[in-house]
Coordinates of all heavy atoms in Angstrom, one line a residue:
M1 N 83.8 84.4 90.7 CA 84.7 85.0 89.7 C 84.2 86.5 89.7 O 83.1 86.8 89.5 CB 84.5 84.4 88.3 CG 85.4 85.0 87.3 SD 85.2 84.3 85.6 CE 84.8 82.6 85.9
D2 N 85.2 87.4 89.8 CA 84.9 88.8 89.9 C 84.9 89.5 88.5 O 84.1 90.3 88.2 CB 86.0 89.5 90.8 CG 85.7 91.0 91.0 OD1 84.6 91.3 91.3 OD2 86.6 91.7 90.8
E3 N 85.9 89.1 87.7 CA 86.0 89.7 86.4 C 86.7 88.7 85.4 O 87.4 87.8 85.9 CB 86.7 91.0 86.4 CG 88.1 91.0 86.8 CD 88.7 92.4 86.9 OE1 88.0 93.3 87.2 OE2 89.9 92.5 86.7
V4 N 86.6 89.0 84.1 CA 87.4 88.3 83.1 C 88.1 89.3 82.2 O 87.5 90.3 81.8 CB 86.4 87.4 82.2 CG1 87.2 86.7 81.1 CG2 85.7 86.3 83.1
R5 N 89.4 89.0 82.0 CA 90.2 89.8 81.1 C 90.7 89.0 80.0 O 91.1 87.9 80.1 CB 91.4 90.3 81.9 CG 91.1 91.1 83.2 CD 92.3 91.3 84.0 NE 92.0 92.0 85.2 CZ 92.9 92.5 86.1 NH1 94.1 92.2 85.9 NH2 92.5 93.1 87.2
V6 N 90.6 89.6 78.8 CA 91.1 88.9 77.6 C 92.1 89.9 76.9 O 91.9 91.1 76.7 CB 90.0 88.6 76.5 CG1 90.5 88.1 75.3 CG2 88.9 87.7 77.1
W7 N 93.3 89.3 76.7 CA 94.4 90.1 76.2 C 94.8 89.7 74.8 O 94.6 88.5 74.4 CB 95.7 89.9 77.1 CG 95.4 90.4 78.5 CD1 94.9 89.6 79.5 CD2 95.6 91.7 79.0 NE1 94.8 90.4 80.6 CE2 95.3 91.7 80.3 CE3 96.1 92.9 78.4 CZ2 95.4 92.8 81.1 CZ3 96.2 94.0 79.2 CH2 95.9 93.9 80.6
R8 N 95.3 90.6 74.0 CA 95.7 90.3 72.6 C 97.0 89.5 72.5 O 97.2 88.8 71.6 CB 95.9 91.6 71.9 CG 96.2 91.6 70.4 CD 96.3 92.9 69.7 NE 95.4 93.9 70.3 CZ 94.1 94.0 70.0 NH1 93.5 93.2 69.2 NH2 93.4 95.0 70.5
T9 N 97.8 89.6 73.6 CA 99.1 88.9 73.6 C 99.1 87.9 74.8 O 98.4 88.1 75.7 CB 100.2 89.9 73.7 OG1 100.0 90.7 74.9 CG2 100.3 90.8 72.5
Q10 N 100.0 87.0 74.7 CA 100.3 86.0 75.8 C 100.8 86.8 77.0 O 101.7 87.7 76.8 CB 101.2 84.9 75.4 CG 101.5 83.9 76.5 CD 102.3 82.8 75.9 OE1 102.4 82.5 74.7 NE2 103.0 82.1 76.8
R11 N 100.4 86.5 78.2 CA 100.8 87.2 79.4 C 101.8 86.3 80.2 O 101.5 85.1 80.3 CB 99.7 87.6 80.3 CG 98.5 88.3 79.6 CD 98.9 89.7 79.4 NE 98.8 90.5 80.6 CZ 99.2 91.7 80.7 NH1 99.6 92.4 79.7 NH2 99.2 92.3 81.9
S12 N 102.8 86.8 80.7 CA 103.8 86.0 81.5 C 103.2 85.8 82.9 O 102.3 86.6 83.3 CB 105.1 86.7 81.6 OG 105.0 87.9 82.4
E13 N 103.7 84.9 83.7 CA 103.2 84.7 85.0 C 103.5 86.0 85.8 O 102.6 86.4 86.6 CB 104.0 83.5 85.7 CG 103.5 83.3 87.1 CD 104.2 82.1 87.8 OE1 104.9 81.3 87.1 OE2 104.0 82.0 89.0
A14 N 104.6 86.7 85.6 CA 104.9 87.9 86.4 C 103.9 89.0 86.0 O 103.4 89.7 86.9 CB 106.3 88.4 86.0
Q15 N 103.5 89.1 84.7 CA 102.5 90.1 84.3 C 101.1 89.8 85.0 O 100.5 90.7 85.5 CB 102.4 90.1 82.8 CG 103.5 90.8 82.1 CD 103.4 90.6 80.6 OE1 103.1 89.5 80.1 NE2 103.6 91.7 79.9
I16 N 100.8 88.5 85.0 CA 99.5 88.2 85.6 C 99.5 88.4 87.1 O 98.6 89.1 87.6 CB 99.2 86.7 85.3 CG1 99.0 86.4 83.8 CG2 98.0 86.2 86.1 CD1 99.0 85.0 83.4
R17 N 100.5 88.0 87.8 CA 100.6 88.2 89.2 C 100.7 89.7 89.6 O 100.1 90.1 90.5 CB 101.7 87.4 89.8 CG 101.4 85.9 89.8 CD 102.4 85.2 90.8 NE 102.1 83.8 90.7 CZ 101.2 83.2 91.4 NH1 100.4 83.9 92.2 NH2 101.0 81.9 91.4
G18 N 101.4 90.4 88.7 CA 101.6 91.9 89.0 C 100.4 92.7 88.8 O 100.3 93.8 89.3
N19 N 99.4 92.2 88.0 CA 98.2 93.0 87.8 C 96.9 92.4 88.3 O 95.9 93.0 88.2 CB 98.1 93.2 86.2 CG 99.0 94.1 85.7 OD1 99.0 95.3 86.1 ND2 99.9 93.7 84.9
M20 N 97.0 91.2 88.9 CA 95.7 90.5 89.3 C 95.0 91.2 90.4 O 93.8 91.1 90.5 CB 95.9 89.0 89.5 CG 96.7 88.7 90.8 SD 96.8 86.9 90.8 CE 97.5 86.7 92.4
D21 N 95.7 92.0 91.2 CA 95.0 92.7 92.3 C 94.8 94.2 91.9 O 94.3 94.9 92.8 CB 95.9 92.6 93.5 CG 95.9 91.3 94.1 OD1 94.9 90.5 94.0 OD2 96.9 90.9 94.7
K22 N 95.1 94.6 90.7 CA 94.9 95.9 90.3 C 93.5 96.1 89.5 O 93.2 95.2 88.8 CB 96.0 96.4 89.4 CG 97.3 96.5 90.1 CD 98.4 97.0 89.1 CE 99.7 97.1 89.8 NZ 100.8 97.4 88.9
E23 N 92.8 97.2 89.8 CA 91.6 97.4 89.1 C 92.0 98.1 87.7 O 92.7 99.1 87.7 CB 90.7 98.4 89.9 CG 89.4 98.5 89.2 CD 88.3 99.1 90.1 OE1 88.5 99.2 91.4 OE2 87.3 99.6 89.6
L24 N 91.5 97.5 86.7 CA 91.9 98.0 85.3 C 90.8 99.0 84.9 O 89.7 99.0 85.3 CB 91.9 96.9 84.3 CG 92.9 95.7 84.6 CD1 92.9 94.7 83.4 CD2 94.3 96.2 84.8
T25 N 91.3 99.9 84.0 CA 90.4 100.9 83.5 C 89.7 100.5 82.2 O 88.6 101.1 81.9 CB 91.2 102.2 83.1 OG1 92.1 101.9 82.1 CG2 91.9 102.7 84.3
G26 N 90.2 99.5 81.5 CA 89.7 99.1 80.2 C 90.5 99.7 79.1 O 90.2 99.4 77.9
K27 N 91.5 100.5 79.4 CA 92.3 101.2 78.3 C 93.7 100.7 78.3 O 94.6 101.4 77.7 CB 92.2 102.7 78.5 CG 90.8 103.2 78.4 CD 90.7 104.7 78.6 CE 89.3 105.1 78.4 NZ 89.1 106.5 78.6
E28 N 94.0 99.6 79.0 CA 95.4 99.1 79.0 C 95.8 98.6 77.7 O 95.0 98.1 76.9 CB 95.4 98.0 80.1 CG 95.3 98.4 81.5 CD 93.9 98.8 81.9 OE1 93.0 98.5 81.2 OE2 93.8 99.5 83.0
V29 N 97.1 98.7 77.4 CA 97.7 98.3 76.1 C 97.5 96.8 76.0 O 97.7 96.0 76.9 CB 99.2 98.6 76.1 CG1 99.8 98.0 74.8 CG2 99.4 100.1 76.1
D30 N 97.0 96.3 74.8 CA 96.8 94.9 74.5 C 95.6 94.3 75.1 O 95.3 93.1 75.0 CB 98.0 94.1 74.7 CG 99.2 94.4 73.7 OD1 98.9 94.7 72.6 OD2 100.3 94.2 74.1
L31 N 94.8 95.1 75.9 CA 93.6 94.5 76.5 C 92.5 94.5 75.4 O 92.3 95.5 74.7 CB 93.1 95.4 77.6 CG 91.9 94.9 78.4 CD1 92.1 93.6 79.1 CD2 91.4 96.0 79.3
V32 N 91.8 93.4 75.2 CA 90.8 93.2 74.2 C 89.4 93.4 74.9 O 88.6 94.2 74.4 CB 90.9 91.8 73.5 CG1 89.7 91.6 72.6 CG2 92.2 91.7 72.8
S33 N 89.2 92.7 76.0 CA 87.9 92.8 76.6 C 88.1 92.7 78.2 O 89.0 92.0 78.6 CB 86.9 91.7 76.2 OG 86.6 92.0 74.8
L34 N 87.2 93.3 78.9 CA 87.2 93.3 80.3 C 85.8 93.3 80.9 O 85.0 94.3 80.6 CB 87.9 94.6 80.9 CG 87.9 94.8 82.4 CD1 88.5 93.7 83.2 CD2 88.5 96.2 82.7
W35 N 85.4 92.2 81.5 CA 84.0 92.1 82.0 C 84.1 92.2 83.5 O 84.7 91.2 84.1 CB 83.3 90.8 81.6 CG 83.1 90.8 80.1 CD1 82.1 91.3 79.5 CD2 83.9 90.1 79.2 NE1 82.2 91.1 78.1 CE2 83.3 90.3 77.9 CE3 85.1 89.4 79.2 CZ2 83.8 89.8 76.7 CZ3 85.6 88.9 78.1 CH2 85.0 89.1 76.8
K36 N 83.6 93.2 84.2 CA 83.6 93.3 85.6 C 82.2 93.0 86.0 O 81.3 93.8 85.9 CB 83.9 94.8 86.0 CG 85.3 95.2 85.6 CD 85.5 96.7 86.1 CE 86.8 97.2 85.6 NZ 87.1 98.6 86.1
F37 N 82.0 91.8 86.6 CA 80.7 91.3 86.9 C 79.9 92.1 87.9 O 78.7 92.0 88.0 CB 80.8 89.8 87.2 CG 81.2 89.0 86.0 CD1 82.4 88.3 86.0 CD2 80.4 88.9 84.9 CE1 82.9 87.6 84.9 CE2 80.8 88.2 83.8 CZ 82.1 87.5 83.8
E38 N 80.7 92.8 88.8 CA 79.9 93.6 89.8 C 79.2 94.8 89.1 O 78.3 95.4 89.6 CB 80.8 94.1 90.9 CG 81.8 95.2 90.4 CD 83.2 94.7 90.0 OE1 83.3 93.5 89.8 OE2 84.1 95.5 89.9
N39 N 79.6 95.0 87.8 CA 78.9 96.1 87.0 C 77.8 95.6 86.2 O 77.2 96.3 85.4 CB 79.9 96.8 86.2 CG 80.9 97.6 87.0 OD1 80.7 97.9 88.1 ND2 82.1 97.9 86.4
S40 N 77.5 94.3 86.3 CA 76.4 93.7 85.4 C 75.0 94.2 85.9 O 74.8 94.5 87.1 CB 76.4 92.2 85.5 OG 76.2 91.7 86.8
N41 N 74.2 94.4 84.9 CA 72.9 95.0 85.2 C 71.8 94.3 84.4 O 72.0 94.2 83.1 CB 72.9 96.5 84.9 CG 71.7 97.2 85.4 OD1 70.8 96.7 86.0 ND2 71.6 98.5 85.0
N42 N 70.8 93.8 85.0 CA 69.7 93.1 84.3 C 70.3 91.9 83.5 O 69.8 91.7 82.4 CB 68.9 94.0 83.5 CG 68.1 95.0 84.3 OD1 67.6 94.7 85.4 ND2 68.0 96.2 83.8
G43 N 71.3 91.2 84.0 CA 71.8 90.0 83.3 C 72.8 90.4 82.2 O 73.2 89.5 81.5
I44 N 73.1 91.6 82.0 CA 74.1 92.0 81.0 C 75.4 92.4 81.6 O 75.5 93.2 82.5 CB 73.6 93.2 80.2 CG1 72.2 93.0 79.5 CG2 74.6 93.7 79.1 CD1 72.2 91.8 78.5
A45 N 76.5 91.7 81.2 CA 77.8 91.9 81.6 C 78.5 92.9 80.6 O 78.8 92.4 79.5 CB 78.6 90.7 81.8
T46 N 78.7 94.1 81.0 CA 79.2 95.1 80.0 C 80.7 94.9 79.9 O 81.5 94.7 80.8 CB 79.0 96.5 80.6 OG1 77.6 96.7 80.8 CG2 79.4 97.6 79.6
D47 N 81.2 95.0 78.6 CA 82.6 94.9 78.3 C 83.2 96.3 78.5 O 82.9 97.2 77.7 CB 82.8 94.4 76.9 CG 84.3 94.3 76.5 OD1 85.1 94.6 77.3 OD2 84.5 93.9 75.3
S48 N 84.1 96.5 79.5 CA 84.7 97.8 79.8 C 85.9 98.0 78.9 O 86.5 99.1 78.9 CB 85.1 97.8 81.2 OG 84.0 97.7 82.1
G49 N 86.3 97.0 78.2 CA 87.5 97.1 77.3 C 87.1 97.7 75.9 O 85.9 98.0 75.7
P50 N 88.1 97.8 75.0 CA 87.8 98.5 73.7 C 87.0 97.6 72.8 O 86.4 98.1 71.8 CB 89.2 98.7 73.2 CG 90.1 97.6 73.8 CD 89.5 97.5 75.2
G51 N 86.9 96.3 73.1 CA 86.1 95.4 72.3 C 84.6 95.6 72.2 O 84.0 95.4 71.1
G52 N 84.1 96.0 73.3 CA 82.6 96.3 73.3 C 81.8 95.0 73.1 O 80.7 95.1 72.6
H53 N 82.3 93.9 73.6 CA 81.7 92.6 73.4 C 80.9 92.3 74.7 O 81.3 91.6 75.6 CB 82.7 91.5 73.2 CG 83.5 91.7 72.0 ND1 83.1 91.6 70.7 CD2 84.8 92.0 71.9 CE1 84.1 91.9 69.9 NE2 85.1 92.1 70.6
H54 N 79.7 92.9 74.8 CA 78.9 92.8 76.0 C 78.4 91.3 76.1 O 78.1 90.7 75.0 CB 77.8 93.8 76.0 CG 78.2 95.2 75.8 ND1 79.2 95.7 76.6 CD2 77.9 96.1 75.0 CE1 79.5 97.0 76.2 NE2 78.7 97.2 75.2
G55 N 78.2 90.8 77.3 CA 77.7 89.5 77.4 C 76.5 89.4 78.2 O 76.0 90.4 78.8
K56 N 75.9 88.2 78.2 CA 74.6 88.0 78.9 C 74.8 86.8 79.9 O 75.3 85.8 79.5 CB 73.5 87.7 78.0 CG 72.1 87.6 78.6 CD 71.0 87.5 77.7 CE 69.7 87.4 78.5 NZ 68.5 87.5 77.7
L57 N 74.3 87.0 81.1 CA 74.4 85.9 82.1 C 73.2 85.0 81.8 O 72.1 85.4 81.7 CB 74.3 86.5 83.5 CG 75.4 87.5 83.9 CD1 75.1 88.0 85.3 CD2 76.8 86.9 83.8
F58 N 73.5 83.7 81.7 CA 72.4 82.7 81.4 C 72.2 81.7 82.6 O 73.0 81.6 83.4 CB 72.8 81.8 80.2 CG 72.7 82.5 78.9 CD1 73.7 83.2 78.3 CD2 71.5 82.5 78.2 CE1 73.6 83.9 77.1 CE2 71.3 83.2 77.0 CZ 72.4 83.8 76.4
G59 N 71.0 81.1 82.5 CA 70.7 80.1 83.5 C 70.6 80.7 84.9 O 70.0 81.8 85.0
K60 N 71.2 80.1 85.9 CA 71.1 80.7 87.2 C 72.3 81.6 87.6 O 72.5 81.9 88.7 CB 71.1 79.5 88.2 CG 69.8 78.7 88.1 CD 69.7 77.6 89.1 CE 68.4 76.8 88.9 NZ 68.3 75.8 89.9
A61 N 73.1 82.0 86.6 CA 74.2 82.9 86.8 C 73.7 84.2 87.3 O 72.7 84.7 86.8 CB 75.0 83.1 85.5
R62 N 74.4 84.7 88.3 CA 74.0 86.0 88.8 C 75.2 86.7 89.5 O 76.2 86.0 89.8 CB 72.9 85.9 89.8 CG 73.2 85.0 91.0 CD 71.9 84.6 91.8 NE 72.2 83.6 92.8 CZ 72.5 83.9 94.0 NH1 72.4 85.1 94.5 NH2 72.7 82.9 94.9
S63 N 75.1 88.0 89.7 CA 76.2 88.7 90.4 C 75.8 89.0 91.8 O 74.7 89.6 92.0 CB 76.4 90.0 89.6 OG 77.5 90.7 90.1
V64 N 76.6 88.7 92.7 CA 76.3 89.0 94.2 C 77.6 89.6 94.8 O 78.7 89.3 94.4 CB 76.0 87.7 94.9 CG1 74.7 87.1 94.4 CG2 77.1 86.7 94.9
A65 N 77.3 90.5 95.8 CA 78.4 91.1 96.5 C 79.0 90.2 97.5 O 78.2 89.7 98.3 CB 77.9 92.4 97.1
E66 N 80.3 89.9 97.5 CA 80.9 89.1 98.5 C 82.3 89.7 98.8 O 82.9 90.4 98.0 CB 81.1 87.7 97.9 CG 79.9 86.9 97.8 CD 79.3 86.4 99.1 OE1 80.0 86.3 100.1 OE2 78.0 86.3 99.1
A67 N 82.8 89.4 100.0 CA 84.1 89.9 100.4 C 85.1 89.1 99.5 O 85.0 87.9 99.3 CB 84.3 89.6 101.8
R68 N 86.2 89.8 99.1 CA 87.2 89.1 98.3 C 88.1 88.3 99.2 O 88.6 88.8 100.2 CB 88.0 90.2 97.6 CG 89.0 89.6 96.7 CD 89.6 90.6 95.8 NE 90.5 90.0 94.9 CZ 91.5 90.5 94.4 NH1 91.8 91.8 94.6 NH2 92.3 89.9 93.6
P69 N 88.4 87.1 98.8 CA 89.4 86.3 99.6 C 90.8 86.9 99.6 O 91.1 87.6 98.6 CB 89.4 84.9 99.0 CG 88.9 85.1 97.6 CD 88.0 86.4 97.6
A70 N 91.6 86.6 100.6 CA 93.0 87.1 100.6 C 93.7 86.5 99.4 O 93.4 85.4 99.0 CB 93.6 86.7 101.9
T71 N 94.7 87.2 98.9 CA 95.5 86.7 97.8 C 96.3 85.4 98.3 O 96.9 85.4 99.3 CB 96.5 87.7 97.4 OG1 95.8 88.9 97.0 CG2 97.4 87.3 96.2
A72 N 96.1 84.4 97.5 CA 96.8 83.1 97.8 C 98.3 83.2 97.5 O 98.7 83.9 96.7 CB 96.2 82.0 97.0
E73 N 99.0 82.4 98.2 CA 100.5 82.3 98.0 C 100.7 81.6 96.6 O 99.9 80.8 96.2 CB 101.1 81.5 99.1 CG 101.2 82.2 100.4 CD 102.0 83.5 100.4 OE1 103.1 83.4 99.8 OE2 101.6 84.5 100.9
P74 N 101.8 82.0 95.9 CA 102.0 81.3 94.7 C 102.2 79.8 94.8 O 102.7 79.4 95.8 CB 103.4 82.0 94.2 CG 103.5 83.2 95.0 CD 102.7 83.0 96.3
L75 N 101.7 79.1 93.9 CA 101.9 77.6 93.9 C 103.4 77.3 93.5 O 104.0 78.0 92.7 CB 101.0 77.0 92.9 CG 99.5 77.2 93.1 CD1 98.7 76.6 92.0 CD2 99.1 76.5 94.4
T76 N 103.9 76.3 94.2 CA 105.3 75.9 93.8 C 105.2 74.8 92.8 O 104.2 73.9 92.9 CB 106.0 75.4 95.1 OG1 105.3 74.4 95.7 CG2 106.3 76.6 96.0
R77 N 106.1 74.7 91.9 CA 106.1 73.7 90.9 C 107.0 72.6 91.3 O 108.1 72.9 91.8 CB 106.5 74.3 89.5 CG 105.5 75.3 89.0 CD 105.9 75.8 87.7 NE 104.9 76.8 87.2 CZ 105.1 77.7 86.4 NH1 106.3 77.8 85.8 NH2 104.2 78.6 86.0
P78 N 106.7 71.4 91.0 CA 107.6 70.3 91.3 C 108.9 70.4 90.5 O 108.8 70.9 89.3 CB 106.8 69.0 91.0 CG 105.6 69.4 90.2 CD 105.4 70.9 90.4
P79 N 110.0 69.9 91.0 CA 111.3 70.0 90.2 C 111.3 69.2 89.0 O 110.5 68.3 88.8 CB 112.3 69.6 91.2 CG 111.6 69.0 92.4 CD 110.2 69.4 92.3

């Protein structure tokens, strides 16, 4: 998992897909919190959003640099 985003409002599938490959600044409208795990330092995951709810990695959780997988094709829903 690269990051976690928490929004004040419900997001549509189109909004999620339209923004999932974009790097956020933390100042987007209705964004509550944004944890970019590549920015974690000494086990602290800094909240880049307006919430300021910094987190702590517990247990064996750690941040490692890895290549990002290619974007998957959208799943089709059964009729």
Side-chain angles (χ1 to χ4, degrees):
M1 182 181 327
D2 183 49
E3 65 183 32
V4 173
R5 303 169 179 185
V6 176
W7 299 89
R8 185 174 327 280
T9 57
Q10 181 176 339
R11 309 285 287 173
S12 69
E13 180 178 350
Q15 287 173 310
I16 293 168
R17 289 196 181 278
N19 286 296
M20 70 183 189
D21 290 329
K22 292 182 182 174
E23 186 167 343
L24 302 184
T25 65
K27 297 180 181 179
E28 289 74 15
V29 174
D30 290 328
L31 182 68
V32 174
S33 291
L34 170 64
W35 295 278
K36 298 179 182 182
F37 295 112
E38 72 267 12
N39 295 340
S40 62
N41 192 4
N42 292 325
I44 301 298
T46 303
D47 181 0
S48 300
H53 304 288
H54 308 308
K56 183 172 182 171
L57 303 177
F58 283 94
K60 295 182 181 184
R62 59 194 170 98
S63 181
V64 296
E66 290 289 332
R68 184 170 183 210
T71 302
E73 290 296 317
L75 297 174
T76 55
R77 295 184 181 157

